[in-house]
Amino acid sequence: MNDIQNRADIERLVRLFYERATTDELIGHYFTSVVPINWDEHIPTIVSFWENILFQTGAYKGGMLFKHMNLNYLAAFKPAHFTRWLDLWEDTVNQLFEGVNAEEVKFRAKNIAVIMQRKLDIS
Ligand code: HEM
């Protein structure tokens, strides 16, 4: 199995992740009914987010906390939502990739999830 090597690899990962996340019984509604999502814009944004984390491209403009504050306001997050998000992310990474970058995106997602829950005061 290969490691994540470029933007195309990240896109494959993100697309498979969203196939799972959007149909998940616990968190799917965030992506299908809580806010309208323009997927043609959202996918490249998320790909840029991870590309910036792995390859320091500077491609992601930021503002993710505000988006999740809004989601939390519309449909209160619980720790279980984050646990599921992270489980889906880890499973998807493990299914497609192996290596330093694969470990990095799993590790960073966990850290960001902890920070986000703290900042949004989720318990
Ligand atoms: C309970 C867990 C989570 C759910 C249900 C969730 C759901 C969503 C949704 C629905 C959006 C689109 C919001 C909008 O366009 O208004 C979004 C955006 C985003 N999410 Fe999450 N998210 C979760 C956790 C995370 C985590 C842990 C990360 C990072 C590791 C993350 C990274 C992002 C990024 C980068 C965006 C794009 C923000 C932008 O448009 O600039 N999310 N999320």
Side-chain angles (χ1 to χ4, degrees):
M1 218 189 290
N2 291 327
D3 200 357
I4 303 167
Q5 285 164 2
N6 49 42
R7 187 173 172 95
D9 286 344
I10 299 171
E11 180 160 350
R12 228 176 113 214
L13 169 61
V14 165
R15 285 191 184 278
L16 186 57
F17 171 74
Y18 279 127
E19 270 178 36
R20 304 226 174 119
T22 53
T23 52
D24 185 82
E25 76 277 8
L26 195 62
I27 62 168
H29 63 290
Y30 282 102
F31 301 97
T32 56
S33 56
V34 175
V35 285
I37 295 179
N38 177 344
W39 290 98
D40 290 341
E41 285 177 9
H42 186 64
I43 298 272
T45 301
I46 297 290
V47 173
S48 294
F49 171 80
W50 289 109
E51 197 187 18
N52 188 44
I53 283 184
L54 287 180
F55 309 122
Q56 291 80 44
T57 52
Y60 179 67
K61 290 189 295 297
M64 69 179 292
L65 188 66
F66 174 74
K67 296 267 171 142
H68 295 88
M69 268 170 71
N70 184 46
L71 292 170
N72 187 40
Y73 170 74
L74 295 171
F77 281 133
K78 292 281 164 207
H81 294 126
F82 282 88
T83 305
R84 178 64 59 86
W85 191 106
L86 287 170
D87 284 348
L88 292 175
W89 182 248
E90 284 201 23
D91 283 355
T92 312
V93 175
N94 290 341
Q95 187 184 329
L96 296 176
F97 300 104
E98 195 176 70
V100 176
N101 289 342
E103 291 308 311
E104 180 74 5
V105 295
K106 289 185 277 182
F107 176 73
R108 294 294 286 269
K110 265 191 240 154
N111 283 349
I112 294 165
V114 168
I115 293 164
M116 223 194 260
Q117 287 176 88
R118 214 177 280 151
K119 289 198 168 156
L120 299 178
D121 202 13
I122 290 157
S123 55

